[in-house]
Amino acid sequence: MQWRRPILPLRAVALVLAGFGQAGAQAPAKAPPPPPLITAWTVALPGIPVAPPGVDTEAAYVVLRGSRLAALALRDGTLAWSVPVTDVTVPPATAPGLVLLARQNEVEALDTRTGARRWRVPIDGTVAVPLLSEGGWLLAVTDDGRATMLRAATGETLWTQSLGGPTRVQPVVAGRQVYVALQDGRVAALAIETGKPIWQTKLPAEATTLQPLDDRLFAGASDRFLYCLSADRGKRKWRWRTGGTIVGTTVGAGNRVYFLSLDNVLRSLNRTDGNQRWKSAVPHRPTGGPFLIGSLLFVPGVSSALPAFQLADGRLAGSVTLGGEVPGTAVLVPGTEGRAARLLVVSGDGVAQLLEPGR
């Protein structure tokens, strides 16, 4: 019997040919996801920075090697002015219209538009931690543990209070209370108007970070715990153990808090009870942050990349390539009405880069 080739129905032939066409064609390439932040500008500083910059909504103020203070306009990175400074001991702070500098045995205020001196006040001792400037208050703490509150606008001394020991953590303020953490593990609240003690509690180890959030005070400590204290009395609410010393700051959003530790982990905890919601490995050793911009957390570190993590679940959402060759510091530029927060990164070799959300 003669063999005959099977005859396919026309519909089957069309499907086979369509299949060959699809196999031969390349699938369209997916567009790369947009970067989590874009670079607004990058400039080379006129010198090497020796401390993290101070910022306000208009400019950044950087102390440079060779004893100069440079002001960079945030709109385009141009140098607004530069003035000589000496013996600056901590990073600059800002108040409305003022750049605030701590020198050996004095605090000085400069005009943000020109760099001209506005006032200068002697301080008994060397300021040991960054100045606290908030709501017109200016607190300087010296290396012997003496706190001096000034009026930022005029330099008027309002009160002086001995803390009973030195500190290595910048004080923080919330409402009518100032919070300080001492090297012996004590955390204390002082009345902002008078400096009188309100409460004091003792942690098992020295605090490394301090952050008030609503009715809670969060203290990271060198024993690798994050402590949650009540802001009104200092009573411990809960604590959470990590695998490394806690660094940077504690960020709050909704009923969660976010923080970093030197086991290279970013964590999210429930603010009420301290239960962990998620944790994410950070691809480098963190040096600050996390910084919250929109729905992303940014973590700078010893790297030329700045990774971003989703606020909701901690998933990596991309990264930004940084300028400069030597990792440096990042500071958050507060958002204003109609403008989101931005991030200023200054590398150790003197490159400044302003990052902002894409339009």
Side-chain angles (χ1 to χ4, degrees):
M1 182 174 61
Q2 188 177 5
W3 177 82
R4 293 183 179 181
R5 180 180 300 171
I7 299 174
L8 293 175
L10 291 177
R11 178 176 176 81
V13 173
L15 290 174
V16 170
L17 293 176
F20 279 120
Q22 290 176 1
Q26 292 184 350
K30 289 185 178 180
L37 293 175
I38 61 174
T39 299
W41 49 257
T42 302
V43 300
L45 297 173
I48 301 299
V50 297
V55 297
D56 55 25
T57 58
E58 300 296 328
Y61 310 93
V62 191
V63 179
L64 303 174
R65 187 182 300 168
S67 301
R68 295 198 70 82
L69 177 69
L72 298 180
L74 290 179
R75 65 179 180 274
D76 56 10
T78 55
L79 182 66
W81 49 260
S82 173
V83 296
V85 294
T86 57
D87 301 324
V88 176
T89 58
V90 295
T94 62
L98 298 174
V99 188
L100 306 162
L101 301 176
R103 306 175 186 273
Q104 290 184 348
N105 301 310
E106 70 176 20
V107 175
E108 180 180 32
L110 307 180
D111 190 290
T112 56
R113 296 168 300 174
T114 64
R117 179 183 295 159
R118 293 274 293 273
W119 54 257
R120 182 169 60 181
V121 174
I123 295 288
D124 186 14
T126 299
V127 177
V129 294
L131 297 166
L132 168 63
S133 175
E134 184 75 30
W137 306 93
L138 177 61
L139 185 68
V141 181
T142 55
D143 50 7
D144 61 354
R146 181 172 295 275
T148 300
M149 182 68 80
L150 307 173
R151 195 179 304 280
T154 62
E156 174 191 1
T157 299
L158 302 176
W159 52 261
T160 299
Q161 175 72 42
S162 175
L163 302 178
T167 178
R168 289 186 287 195
V169 178
Q170 182 183 25
V172 291
V173 62
R176 313 311 295 175
Q177 295 184 174
V178 175
Y179 303 97
V180 295
L182 306 181
Q183 289 184 30
D184 61 7
R186 283 180 294 148
V187 177
L190 310 177
I192 196 169
E193 294 93 349
T194 64
K196 291 182 179 179
I198 298 175
W199 57 256
Q200 180 176 282
T201 191
K202 197 170 191 306
L203 302 179
E206 177 185 0
T208 55
T209 69
L210 202 60
Q211 183 67 48
L213 294 171
D214 299 328
D215 62 342
R216 305 293 173 96
L217 179 67
F218 294 90
S222 59
D223 62 355
R224 303 180 178 182
F225 277 97
L226 177 72
Y227 292 89
C228 175
L229 310 175
S230 64
D232 58 348
R233 291 191 285 179
K235 181 180 179 181
R236 185 193 298 179
K237 295 287 189 179
W238 50 261
R239 67 176 185 172
W240 183 268
R241 184 174 181 83
T242 70
T245 299
I246 295 165
V247 296
T249 187
T250 304
V251 174
N255 195 40
R256 295 188 184 184
V257 292
Y258 307 85
F259 68 101
L260 290 159
S261 51
L262 289 182
D263 53 353
N264 298 0
V265 174
L266 172 65
R267 288 178 171 85
S268 169
L269 306 182
N270 185 291
R271 186 192 306 221
T272 302
D273 54 21
N275 288 333
Q276 183 169 275
R277 309 306 299 173
W278 54 256
K279 67 176 182 178
S280 294
V282 177
H284 53 226
R285 190 172 182 85
T287 56
F291 298 107
L292 176 60
I293 300 178
S295 61
L296 298 177
L297 294 161
F298 294 86
V299 181
V302 185
S303 172
S304 60
L306 175 68
F309 299 86
Q310 296 282 359
L311 194 68
D313 55 17
R315 287 185 300 172
L316 188 65
S319 65
V320 182
T321 301
L322 301 177
E325 298 179 357
V326 181
T329 57
V331 295
L332 189 68
V333 179
T336 58
E337 186 175 351
R339 184 158 204 171
R342 295 167 288 172
L343 202 61
L344 178 69
V345 183
V346 178
S347 71
D349 57 350
V351 175
Q353 182 177 8
L354 185 68
L355 303 169
E356 62 184 17
R359 295 185 178 89

